[in-house]
Amino acid sequence: METIDRRGLMLVLSSPSGAGKTTIARRVLAEDTGITSSISHTTRERRPGEVDGKDYHFVDKKTFNRMRDEKAFLEWALVFDNFYGTTRAPVDEALSAGRDVLFDVDWQGADSLRKEAEGDVVSVFILPPTAGALAERLKARAQDSDDVVARRMAGASNEIRAWEKYDYVLVNFDVEQSVAAVHAILAAERLKRARLTGLEGFVKGLLADL
Ligand code: 5GP
């Protein structure tokens, strides 16, 4: 299919833990070949089933600090006592090549990314349909200890308070519906004039041929 050259966009997804963000993100990544996931660096312990280099780059604090000092991160944050960061180079490369990148970051990460790259960021906040649904999902995820679950519940109100800063807010009543909404957001945002770097040349050529 012929298209006009464009700059890639940064799809930033945030939500309190347990709102279904990971499920939605996985589906979007599987169904849309134009977008890939940014793989963060973290000092958090690897959960069972997580793969180094796929889910995260798992690093120790010393490595994380060194990377931070070398300005390798586009943004970084301390979330529940662990450091998380997004490296700059793969993002720059993807955006210039017209490929979109999905970021699963907390509200602090979203704030930093907006500051660093406002024109490229499309931010989506995912809310749980009820507080009970959030608690259920967190408990069902048996990988975390009771203590971690309790702290994540407490952290949820903090995260939810950031909802007004996002371009789009989805209430995750139904995964299918939410996934469809993210596809619709992507489809429209990809057509934004400001991202279509090839448009000026195209119009010039069109006018020259008239
Ligand atoms: P988890 O430990 O459950 O994988 O992630 C905990 C929180 O850290 C989630 O809210 C997730 O969005 C956030 N997070 C993951 N990677 C990054 C990152 O690179 N930067 C920031 N700021 N937050 C991140």
Side-chain angles (χ1 to χ4, degrees):
M1 193 175 57
E2 274 194 275
T3 53
I4 303 289
D5 280 351
R6 70 171 176 94
R7 181 166 167 80
L9 59 81
M10 297 164 67
L11 181 70
V12 177
L13 294 185
S14 303
S15 76
S17 294
K21 173 181 55 176
T22 309
T23 310
I24 295 169
R26 282 202 188 124
R27 281 278 306 273
V28 170
L29 289 165
E31 292 166 15
D32 185 327
T33 53
I35 188 161
T36 52
S37 180
S38 165
I39 302 168
S40 298
H41 282 66
T42 184
T43 58
R44 162 164 83 58
E45 287 288 308
R46 197 165 59 82
R47 293 193 189 117
E50 282 184 331
V51 178
D52 186 28
K54 185 168 168 274
D55 298 292
Y56 282 105
H57 297 289
F58 295 95
V59 292
D60 57 22
K61 281 209 175 97
K62 204 173 145 217
T63 308
F64 194 96
N65 287 339
R66 181 179 48 74
M67 292 179 70
R68 188 181 57 196
D69 294 345
E70 289 169 359
K71 306 262 184 289
F73 294 125
L74 191 56
E75 65 79 33
W76 64 270
L78 182 64
V79 188
F80 306 115
D81 290 341
N82 295 302
F83 289 102
Y84 295 83
T86 307
T87 41
R88 191 183 295 273
V91 179
D92 287 345
E93 198 191 320
L95 298 189
S96 310
R99 283 180 278 116
D100 303 322
V101 186
L102 184 147
F103 299 81
D104 173 339
V105 294
D106 79 324
W107 66 270
Q108 306 172 81
D111 263 3
S112 309
L113 292 177
R114 275 189 213 101
K115 271 195 204 107
E116 287 284 324
E118 207 187 351
D120 293 324
V121 169
V122 176
S123 61
V124 181
F125 196 83
I126 298 161
L127 286 170
T130 61
L134 195 72
E136 281 306 306
R137 283 228 189 86
L138 274 179
K139 281 183 204 140
R141 194 161 72 184
Q143 298 141 319
D144 292 321
S145 68
D146 287 353
D147 178 44
V148 170
V149 170
R151 292 188 50 216
R152 282 178 182 241
M153 269 311 274
S157 8
N158 242 346
E159 188 75 25
I160 288 174
R161 285 199 184 94
W163 71 278
E164 281 178 297
K165 297 179 180 180
Y166 286 72
D167 299 319
Y168 301 90
V169 178
L170 304 178
V171 181
N172 190 18
F173 293 111
D174 172 75
V175 176
E176 293 304 324
Q177 190 186 330
S178 301
V179 169
V182 176
H183 283 309
I185 291 166
L186 272 175
E189 289 285 347
R190 283 168 172 162
L191 295 171
K192 279 238 169 113
R193 177 169 49 81
R195 295 190 216 292
L196 298 175
T197 46
L199 205 50
E200 199 179 334
F202 175 80
V203 174
K204 265 191 193 146
L206 203 58
L207 289 174
D209 290 343
L210 282 181

